[in-house]
Amino acid sequence: MPELPEVEVTRMGIAPHIDGRIVSAIIMRRSGLRWPFPPDLAEILTGRTVRATGRRGKYLLIQFDHGTLIIHLGMSGHLRILPLATPAEKHDHFDLVTGDQVMRLTDPRRFGAVLWHPQADGPADAHVLLRGLGIEPLGAVSLAQTLFSQTRGRSAAIKQVLLAGDIVVGVGNIYASESLFRARIHPKTPAGRIALARYVTLASEIQSTLAAAIDQGGSTLRDFVGANGQSGYFQQSYFVYDRTGLPCRVCGQAVRQIKQGQRSTFYCVHCQT
Ligand SMILES: [Zn+2]
């Protein structure tokens, strides 16, 4: 599943190709994905100029003067920039055409989304899918303080609090396990019992883990262009994620796996307390 770094790399990959360009056509090859496509989207966007390509959590926000096109990649979606004449294949569901090129959404599992938020309804942050989101972890100077103050009195495990997305967005399953390992915090620790000093460490590790993933993904940016390019999803070298039974890279003890809220958590019982 695309996590925040993949979505940010997607944003970096498509922005130079669509920002400032005029939409010449919208092509929808089915009526929707997770939710219906806005049926009048071609009418809404044709002739309009893309002003900027932003991101909030895992939502891509393609901004126009009169509103924002919100795209979510779901479980399996990816975007590519292709020459206009490139034939569409089976899972190519949505095209945003700008002159001689097309931004194409491919999504085999169809959990993605393409939505329209008109400017008249306020900023895109007011959209029902966005307004409950926690703070952006990257570049947030207040991340540690926010984690600390918003978890007082909460008995939920820190791993699940990170995944919930209402305090901080974009810390998905991989990055929660990895940043908790790097901060040496046991994933089952009640969030309300973690002191500010430990949240300072955790916030720093969340930010550096995500930033490292984005840096690595950035080297794949050329893959966003061209008919054969795969999307910029990438495998990293993890400390604990998906390493059950393998030796911890720090202490050598076997990495353990547990279930928390139906999701697998990976950790080292020796390094994380
Ligand atoms: Zn260890």
Side-chain angles (χ1 to χ4, degrees):
M1 185 193 320
E3 295 214 34
L4 183 143
E6 287 84 355
V7 179
E8 177 60 15
V9 169
T10 298
R11 188 198 67 75
M12 292 159 60
I14 61 173
H17 300 285
I18 64 169
D19 288 2
R21 295 187 70 137
I22 296 171
V23 176
S24 47
I26 294 289
I27 300 168
M28 298 181 278
R29 298 189 184 82
R30 52 186 302 119
S31 59
L33 295 170
R34 183 169 182 177
W35 296 293
F37 292 142
D40 51 352
L41 201 55
E43 204 171 296
I44 292 170
L45 293 181
T46 303
R48 302 289 188 148
T49 302
V50 176
R51 294 302 179 193
T53 302
R55 177 187 58 76
R56 179 77 175 95
K58 296 204 289 184
Y59 294 91
L60 288 162
L61 306 177
I62 299 175
Q63 290 157 15
F64 295 84
D65 288 333
H66 63 320
T68 303
L69 186 69
I70 301 174
I71 297 180
H72 195 283
L73 300 176
M75 305 286 286
S76 60
H78 61 97
L79 289 170
R80 284 172 299 161
I81 304 293
L82 301 166
L84 180 59
T86 311
E89 294 178 7
K90 186 179 176 193
H91 300 296
D92 296 341
H93 305 305
F94 176 88
D95 287 352
L96 183 142
V97 183
T98 53
D100 58 353
Q101 69 171 29
V102 54
M103 182 189 79
R104 178 162 289 166
L105 175 62
T106 304
D107 186 3
R109 295 185 62 184
R110 305 204 302 263
F111 281 100
V114 177
L115 301 163
W116 174 249
H117 180 80
Q119 188 69 33
D121 291 355
D125 276 357
H127 189 277
V128 64
L129 292 172
L130 305 184
R131 63 188 174 210
L133 297 180
I135 64 169
E136 287 290 328
L138 291 164
V141 290
S142 59
L143 180 57
Q145 183 60 49
T146 301
L147 282 166
F148 175 74
S149 59
Q150 294 197 20
T151 52
R152 293 310 88 187
R154 281 179 72 162
S155 58
I158 181 60
K159 163 79 182 325
Q160 285 168 279
V161 166
L162 291 177
L163 284 193
D166 58 335
I167 298 180
V168 55
V169 295
V171 189
N173 207 37
I174 296 172
Y175 302 103
S177 283
E178 288 295 294
S179 55
L180 285 169
F181 174 85
R182 288 162 55 148
R184 307 193 65 150
I185 297 171
H186 193 290
K188 281 185 171 175
T189 310
R193 290 215 205 124
I194 297 174
L196 179 58
R198 297 195 89 191
Y199 274 125
V200 170
T201 306
L202 179 59
S204 163
E205 296 296 354
I206 287 170
Q207 290 171 329
S208 60
T209 304
L210 291 172
I214 291 167
D215 278 354
Q216 181 169 349
S219 66
T220 69
L221 281 182
R222 61 188 162 74
D223 296 337
F224 281 89
V225 182
N228 299 317
Q230 288 301 304
S231 56
Y233 307 152
F234 30 91
Q235 285 289 318
Q236 282 188 285
S237 173
Y238 299 121
F239 279 107
V240 287
Y241 181 79
D242 207 19
R243 296 194 66 242
T244 311
L246 296 173
C248 170
R249 297 191 200 279
V250 172
C251 74
Q253 294 209 20
V255 170
R256 295 194 187 185
Q257 179 179 355
I258 52 172
K259 286 277 185 195
Q260 288 181 285
Q262 319 296 329
R263 308 295 302 277
S264 290
T265 298
F266 305 88
Y267 71 108
C268 173
V269 70
H270 181 254
C271 292
Q272 293 171 258
T273 55

